[in-house]
Amino acid sequence: MRLLAAALHAAVLAAPLVAGAQGSTVYRCPGNVYTSEISEREAKERNCRTIEGAPITIVNTAKPAPQARGKDGEGRAASAPRGADSRVDPTAQRQRDSDARKILEAELAREEARLVEMKREFNNGEPERRGDERNYAKYQDRVAEMKAAITRKEADIAAIRRELTKLQQQ
């Protein structure tokens, strides 16, 4: 990729010199391909445009850091090996897991209570109309928003339950 960018950079910088010397035109083709090696007819067939006087900007990006590979072949960020003293105490880990479980259970209870409130307000698709909803379309929009919010809340609750199940399996 870096070689391609360098070649493109060199070709673009040299293209005006070649174009001026030979009288040829530089074309920009789909896929950001720049060339002066095709005829005008070929450029039209490929849907290329001339770039006479158009500024060309080339941005070099930093090379990404190499990633260490695990036994399963998945990429993982490279890290220094851990020492024996860096292990987490099992008692401390159990405490963290217990705290996480309590937080998730509290959040689940709060979200379930909010869902019950939302369903009560939704009233099976027929919530009470408000004073600013004289237009029936506004009322229908609010009903649709309420239904979507209930669906999102149910999905959130399902996600919290999945997280709790994961914690309980550990």
Side-chain angles (χ1 to χ4, degrees):
M1 185 69 173
R2 184 175 227 149
L3 182 61
L4 178 62
L8 179 62
H9 182 59
V12 170
L13 291 178
L17 299 173
V18 173
Q22 297 177 348
S24 64
T25 306
V26 177
Y27 297 99
R28 178 177 182 230
C29 300
N32 286 333
V33 176
Y34 293 85
T35 184
S36 62
E37 311 253 334
I38 60 175
S39 68
E40 188 175 332
R41 184 178 54 80
E42 288 175 310
K44 286 182 182 178
E45 289 173 1
R46 294 184 188 176
N47 294 325
C48 301
R49 297 181 296 164
T50 60
I51 58 167
E52 295 173 13
I56 298 173
T57 304
I58 297 176
V59 178
N60 289 326
T61 59
K63 186 175 181 180
Q67 291 185 338
R69 298 277 176 197
K71 290 181 183 176
D72 58 356
E74 285 189 31
R76 293 191 182 92
S79 62
R82 293 183 178 177
D85 60 339
S86 68
R87 290 189 56 125
V88 177
D89 180 41
T91 308
Q93 186 61 47
R94 277 193 296 274
Q95 182 62 40
R96 288 179 190 169
D97 291 344
S98 175
D99 291 346
R101 189 175 300 110
K102 287 177 185 175
I103 291 169
L104 283 173
E105 288 171 349
E107 187 174 350
L108 179 63
R110 188 173 48 249
E111 294 296 318
E112 286 176 336
R114 179 64 184 128
L115 178 63
V116 168
E117 176 65 26
M118 290 170 76
K119 284 184 176 180
R120 187 186 58 73
E121 186 179 326
F122 185 63
N123 193 25
N124 293 324
E126 297 179 6
E128 289 188 28
R129 289 178 77 162
R130 295 188 288 198
D132 64 336
E133 295 175 333
R134 292 182 185 160
N135 184 347
Y136 189 69
K138 280 187 176 182
Y139 174 74
Q140 290 290 47
D141 289 344
R142 183 170 68 97
V143 170
E145 288 174 12
M146 291 173 82
K147 187 175 183 178
I150 289 172
T151 303
R152 282 192 306 272
K153 188 64 69 179
E154 289 170 341
D156 291 347
I157 290 171
I160 294 170
R161 286 187 176 140
R162 281 192 303 271
E163 288 298 316
L164 275 170
T165 303
K166 286 180 188 177
L167 280 176
Q168 290 171 354
Q169 291 175 353
Q170 291 177 351

